[in-house]
Amino acid sequence: MPKDRSIHSVLIIGSGPIIIGQACEFDYSGSQASRSLREEGIEVSLINSNPATIMTDPVTADHIYLLPMTVESIIQILEERQIDAVLPTMGGQTALNLAIEAGKMGVWEKYNVKLIGVDLEAIELTENREAFRQHMVDIGLKVAPSHIANSFLEGKEAAQKIGFPLVIRPSYTLGGTGGAFVHQEEEFDGALRRGLSASPTHEVLVEKAVLGWKEFELELLRDANDNVVIICVVENLDPMGIHTGDSITVAPAMTLSDTAYQRMRNEAILAMRSLGNFSGGCNIQFAQEPETEELIVIEINPRVSRSSA
């Protein structure tokens, strides 16, 4: 790919506070991104409120801002620096949410900054659980039976339609926050309330739980000419039912047949291309029925994850 010569200065958004055992991959990927950009002669500014990361070491970037992860902080940096582009895909959900918020406030347009690695439409599509589910169905991929709920009553109705066991997935949260598996009806009310309150948009997906299925994750990379490569395939040693962030994983996948892998690969590339025309990293999680090898799409993150690390 030829170099984009319109970009001379890039802002990388970090992941902010990290809880122990989670999100260190964003520190790794952010540090690597900074090194790669600087090797290309690009000036790198970096915002991360967490001083206990590698990326906030003075040697990592040209300008480091230990500021709160807010739009106000972003505006401060854009006022001080001549930023051409912002890279929000290295800082996990925190960075994506911040990019969306700044975009809705017109910050990127005002300061003539372009998003690289993703576009806002792709973030919105993958984070809006109902829109994403419908999009997967529209392009011919399977998903678990589910209903969206924006209220307690809608959640109760969804549970009655689908039946137990269920998984509750809040929209726009990081690391499974607010999510829960519900095996019995008496556990449902409390789990639903927690999920709705954890979501910044007060929205959850109530989904059939495919407990015991295998879980795989593919990391993809696409360039501006629409070439897509699979960086790696990760297999969770734990079956569906254990959050992927809490699971031991191995790479490459160990128990995936070649035919199932090719199908998974084709579906992953189809899904990524359907999200928009951005070039950058993306990961997609699949569940596979152990006997029939049936595949369903669990979710897509239009950003890097630990599998790219």
Side-chain angles (χ1 to χ4, degrees), residues 67-294:
L67 295 173
M69 307 299 285
T70 62
V71 176
E72 290 73 26
S73 298
I74 297 286
I75 291 170
Q76 178 187 329
I77 297 168
L78 297 181
E79 293 275 1
E80 289 182 18
R81 304 278 166 212
Q82 185 61 49
I83 304 291
D84 298 314
V86 61
L87 183 60
T89 56
M90 302 291 154
Q93 202 58 52
T94 303
L96 289 187
N97 288 352
L98 198 51
I100 291 172
E101 193 181 344
K104 285 178 177 174
M105 291 169 66
V107 172
W108 308 130
E109 282 183 13
K110 179 183 175 183
Y111 291 94
N112 196 26
V113 174
K114 60 180 171 183
L115 257 66
I116 54 174
V118 73
D119 56 40
L120 291 177
E121 291 76 20
I123 302 172
E124 289 282 10
L125 176 59
T126 55
E127 288 300 328
N128 183 315
R129 299 288 185 181
E130 177 58 21
F132 174 70
R133 187 192 70 79
Q134 189 56 52
H135 180 70
M136 289 297 105
V137 172
D138 291 345
I139 63 172
L141 303 186
K142 289 185 178 178
V143 291
S146 63
H147 291 283
I148 207 75
N150 292 99
S151 69
F152 184 77
L153 190 60
E154 286 179 0
K156 293 283 281 183
E157 287 175 359
Q160 288 173 348
K161 287 177 186 171
I162 300 168
F164 294 89
L166 292 167
V167 60
I168 294 171
R169 298 180 182 277
S171 293
Y172 299 96
T173 60
L174 176 65
T177 302
F181 283 94
V182 183
H183 298 271
Q184 276 126 16
E185 194 172 347
E186 53 268 26
E187 303 167 355
F188 184 72
D189 290 9
L192 177 60
R193 285 195 177 96
R194 286 191 294 276
L196 286 167
S197 63
S199 168
T201 54
H202 201 68
E203 177 182 274
V204 298
L205 186 72
V206 180
E207 185 177 77
K208 186 74 175 176
V210 285
L211 295 167
W213 287 34
K214 293 180 180 182
E215 186 172 1
F216 298 93
E217 182 177 327
L218 275 70
E219 194 83 14
L220 298 92
L221 188 67
R222 179 169 65 168
D223 68 13
N225 286 345
D226 203 27
N227 298 304
V228 182
V229 292
I230 308 295
I231 301 296
C232 78
V233 187
V234 176
E235 178 170 355
N236 289 32
L237 290 187
D238 298 295
M240 290 292 293
I242 307 293
H243 184 266
T244 185
D246 297 324
S247 176
I248 296 168
T249 56
V250 290
M254 293 288 142
T255 69
L256 193 55
S257 70
D258 185 56
T259 49
Y261 170 58
Q262 296 304 327
R263 197 163 74 252
M264 197 179 285
R265 182 182 176 280
N266 292 340
E267 289 190 7
I269 292 172
L270 171 67
M272 185 177 189
R273 284 179 168 153
S274 74
L275 295 179
N277 295 320
F278 67 93
S279 52
C282 173
N283 71 78
I284 177 168
Q285 290 166 18
F286 288 97
Q288 183 198 51
E289 209 284 332
E291 299 298 323
T292 64
E293 294 193 336
E294 176 193 352

